Amino acid sequence: MPLTKVIALGTTGVAGGFTSQQVFTSSGTYTKPSGINKILVIVTGAGGGGGAGTNANNVGGGGGAGGTAIELIDVSSLSSTVAVTVGTAGTGGDADGSVHGTDGGTSSFGSYCSATGGKGAYNASSHNNDYGEGGVGSNGDINLK
């Protein structure tokens, strides 16, 4: 399963909290349920791949975490469906040092909000213990690194 999710929680505006939830662990389409007034969208980018080590004393760095964007959306502005993109997790480096960890992919909820993936880490053989930088959320009410 990918290391990122898009969660859309729906509320009717009546006291009692959220009434439905759609969780995406792969890209797809959000379908707006009837009777929902607002949704809380949480988008997290995929993590970057870790770097490989050359031996027990010379380890590669860890890949960066994906960023997160959180947005409360009034669904009156939404069409009945919204494209959801779930970023692909980065892959780890190889032991011979020729391939470093790769970057995680960006996740998004249509054009409303998105979050970049974490950067891949370097292998120990070329950049000792360099780790990947984290991603960042954008266009959300709250954007996290």
Side-chain angles (χ1 to χ4, degrees), residues 47-52 60-64 89-94 97-104 118-124 126 130-132:
T91 58
D94 65 355
S98 63
V99 178
H100 299 294
T102 63
D103 296 346
K119 297 290 184 184
Y122 289 108
N123 294 335
S126 57
D130 282 346
Y131 57 89

Side-chain angles (χ1 to χ4, degrees), residues 32-127:
K32 179 173 61 173
S34 61
I36 297 296
N37 299 325
K38 295 182 188 283
I39 58 172
L40 179 67
V41 177
I42 303 169
V43 177
T44 301
T54 55
N55 59 48
N57 296 318
N58 196 13
V59 299
T68 296
I70 302 170
E71 184 174 12
L72 184 63
I73 301 172
D74 181 338
V75 297
S76 64
S77 66
L78 291 179
S79 62
S80 60
T81 61
V82 176
V84 173
T85 301
V86 174
T88 302
T91 58
D94 65 355
D96 69 8
S98 63
V99 178
H100 299 294
T102 63
D103 296 346
T106 297
S107 296
S108 64
F109 184 78
S111 61
Y112 294 93
C113 59
S114 64
T116 59
K119 297 290 184 184
Y122 289 108
N123 294 335
S125 59
S126 57
H127 300 279

